Amino acid sequence: PQPDREKQEWLPPVVLRFPAAQSVEGQGALPTAHHFILAEGTASYVPGFERVVYRGIAPGIDLVVRFDGQWFAYDLHVAPSSDLSGLAFTVEGVDSLEASGANSFAMETPSGRVEQRIGAAWETDADGAALPVESVFRLIDSAGDKVTFGFEAHDRLPSRSLVIDPSLVWSTYVGGTLGEVVEDMAVAPDGSVYLAVKSNSAGPTT
């Protein structure tokens, strides 16, 4: 979330919960560690991973969080004979949800627009070949500041494993407790944005 400059308060975050997950594990340890300065203190030497796996977010379904080089992304790994209708994502801190194109939707939040799209979906046959499958979002409920959605894959063969590959696209913020001035900006070939900022804040910015 971005701070509300007029009210001098932080806006509520957008939260995606997986309360049914049986376990969480990091895969592909990275050679770097991360350090954070938080409101309640510091966190040092936090390990990094190429991906994080949430096991059993629904019966027979795992969620793999990763960075694909352009966007923050996650994959749904659906085991054979597992039912997609039992999978429901609840997002908190959302004002509204609307379709924004083929296989994509946008959520309006207090901090701005968050878009989610399905990049691809495929099932694996007996020979290990990946076969494309059409997958779409399914809106389950929208009440208050919560949105619940799932996925559908109508042409899927239940005897095969299935992977659904959505991506999240959003804007972040730059700034600390006081004012910042952007002096220069550059965009790298991979889409990363670099800012040269003059900061008056006591602590580091994002």
Side-chain angles (χ1 to χ4, degrees):
Q2 300 182 22
D4 187 323
R5 298 293 186 181
E6 295 182 359
K7 297 182 179 179
Q8 293 296 307
E9 64 183 19
W10 290 96
L11 296 173
V14 176
V15 180
L16 184 61
R17 299 189 186 277
F18 310 111
Q22 302 300 304
S23 63
V24 182
E25 64 181 73
Q27 295 181 345
L30 298 173
T32 55
H34 303 271
H35 313 278
F36 300 93
I37 296 179
L38 309 171
E40 62 272 18
T42 62
S44 301
Y45 299 100
V46 178
F49 299 93
E50 294 178 354
R51 55 197 169 274
V52 175
V53 182
Y54 291 77
R55 300 286 186 192
I57 62 170
I61 301 177
D62 296 338
L63 182 140
V64 180
V65 179
R66 59 183 174 80
F67 181 71
D68 67 2
Q70 183 179 14
W71 306 113
F72 171 82
Y74 66 90
D75 299 335
L76 294 172
H77 291 236
V78 184
S81 301
S82 297
D83 188 1
L84 268 179
S85 64
L87 176 65
F89 291 81
T90 297
V91 187
E92 302 174 4
V94 176
D95 295 330
S96 64
L97 180 148
E98 63 179 10
S100 58
N103 298 338
S104 65
F105 67 76
M107 296 176 288
E108 296 297 335
T109 78
S111 298
R113 187 179 180 93
V114 178
E115 184 175 324
Q116 189 166 186
R117 65 171 71 112
I118 299 177
W122 64 92
E123 57 188 14
T124 305
D125 65 12
D127 297 325
L131 306 175
V133 174
E134 183 179 1
S135 180
V136 296
F137 289 105
R138 176 172 61 95
L139 178 61
I140 299 173
D141 189 23
S142 179
D145 65 346
K146 296 182 180 180
V147 169
T148 303
F149 68 91
F151 297 86
E152 295 178 347
H154 299 293
D155 297 331
R156 174 201 175 198
L157 292 180
S159 60
R160 296 174 175 172
S161 61
L162 172 70
V163 175
I164 301 176
D165 178 16
S167 297
L168 294 177
V169 184
W170 74 92
S171 296
T172 184
Y173 65 92
V174 174
T177 56
L178 298 176
E180 278 74 38
V181 177
V182 178
E183 300 286 358
D184 202 358
M185 180 182 74
V187 181
D190 66 354
S192 299
V193 178
Y194 294 87
L195 300 177
V197 180
K198 184 183 296 182
S199 175
N200 296 307
S201 300
T205 62
T206 59

